[in-house]
Amino acid sequence: MSGSNKVLSRRMLIVTSVSAEKEAILRGLRNCNDFDVIVAGVGQAAAAVATATALAKTQYNYVINAGIAGGFEGKAEVGSLAVSTEMVAADLGAESYDGFLSLEELKLGSSKIEVEKAMVTRICSKAMEQGIPVQEGAILTLSTVTGTQETANYLLERFPHAIAEGMEGFGVAEAAKQSHIPVIEVRSISNKVGPRDRESWRIKEALDTLEKASSIFSEVFK
């Protein structure tokens, strides 16, 4: 991309955190020219900065945060696709003797950004048509990935509708919100949220699912 405030007729921005995710998405898109795919880096701050920078250069119709993620047991199984109904900054707030206090409870703003229901339905329907197992629900954004069952249980107590966790979603969503552009998070599940066990991760399978899911984007976002 070059120039400033370049206006295109219909264009979507896909934000990933690492190159492997970008490559899988590009394979799925099959040279479709309606999408720009960028690697933002890991974490909310990097994701927000990269997204905001891209949105300042080009006018987009939609922003998609896509990649792989951990799924909560019984909510989003390994190899399936998670589609966000809302993107939640799960650890943005304050500790207290009575437990965690969210931005809403602190009256300092919002830690949740909702997604257009129609787009969630569209993606899920098309994914099911392609034989991709898919769930919809809240996707949590955390600065520290969950590594114990106790934390996984605690998160589900706070967010019973959560299906997955990542590290960039809310940052991407906040940048899109500031630019008044709709946003959604789409994640393929590589591992279970809970005790950290890299040997059980199925990254290749998750990237294959991400590639297959990306093949429906050109129709879903047309």
Side-chain angles (χ1 to χ4, degrees), residues 89-108 111 154 158:
D91 56 5
L92 185 58
E95 284 187 315
S96 78
Y97 288 112
D98 297 320
F100 184 85
L101 299 174
S102 67
L103 289 188
E104 288 84 353
E105 292 168 307
L106 294 168
K107 302 188 187 308
L108 293 176
S111 59
Y154 171 67
R158 289 181 55 213

Side-chain angles (χ1 to χ4, degrees), residues 188-203:
S188 58
I189 303 303
S190 61
N191 58 280
K192 181 179 73 172
V193 175
R196 186 174 176 82
D197 178 15
R198 285 188 63 90
E199 292 185 0
S200 69
W201 294 3
R202 297 293 179 263
I203 292 178

Side-chain angles (χ1 to χ4, degrees), residues 29-204:
L29 290 174
R30 300 188 185 93
N31 299 316
C32 178
N33 294 320
D34 296 333
F35 297 83
D36 289 335
V37 188
I38 65 171
V39 177
V42 175
Q44 286 191 62
V49 170
T51 303
T53 298
L55 295 179
K57 294 178 179 179
T58 300
Q59 183 173 315
Y60 290 98
N61 301 92
Y62 225 101
V63 176
I64 306 110
N65 179 213
I68 65 176
F72 287 98
E73 188 171 15
K75 300 291 192 76
E77 300 303 326
V78 173
S80 67
L81 193 69
V83 180
S84 65
T85 54
E86 60 181 357
M87 299 153 85
V88 182
D91 56 5
L92 185 58
E95 284 187 315
S96 78
Y97 288 112
D98 297 320
F100 184 85
L101 299 174
S102 67
L103 289 188
E104 288 84 353
E105 292 168 307
L106 294 168
K107 302 188 187 308
L108 293 176
S110 176
S111 59
K112 301 178 181 180
I113 294 178
E114 293 187 358
V115 174
E116 292 180 333
K117 178 62 178 176
M119 183 57 73
V120 175
T121 300
R122 195 179 308 170
I123 292 176
C124 290
S125 297
K126 184 57 63 174
M128 286 188 288
E129 287 178 15
Q130 297 300 314
I132 304 172
V134 60
Q135 299 82 26
E136 62 178 80
I139 297 182
L140 308 184
T141 302
L142 296 159
S143 296
T144 302
V145 172
T146 300
T148 67
Q149 191 59 50
E150 289 77 11
T151 299
N153 294 340
Y154 171 67
L155 288 170
L156 281 179
E157 287 176 7
R158 289 181 55 213
F159 306 102
H161 300 300
I163 58 174
E165 69 170 25
M167 300 181 76
E168 296 80 31
F170 188 81
V172 174
E174 188 63 39
K177 179 182 177 181
Q178 292 295 324
S179 294
H180 308 289
I181 300 173
V183 64
I184 196 166
E185 188 170 3
V186 179
R187 299 271 184 173
S188 58
I189 303 303
S190 61
N191 58 280
K192 181 179 73 172
V193 175
R196 186 174 176 82
D197 178 15
R198 285 188 63 90
E199 292 185 0
S200 69
W201 294 3
R202 297 293 179 263
I203 292 178
K204 182 184 182 302

Side-chain angles (χ1 to χ4, degrees), residues 9-29:
S9 57
R10 181 73 181 174
R11 199 147 199 85
M12 278 60 67
L13 175 67
I14 301 178
V15 183
T16 68
S17 59
V18 296
S19 296
E21 294 169 335
K22 176 181 178 178
E23 292 164 3
I25 291 167
L26 289 174
R27 290 193 298 270
L29 290 174

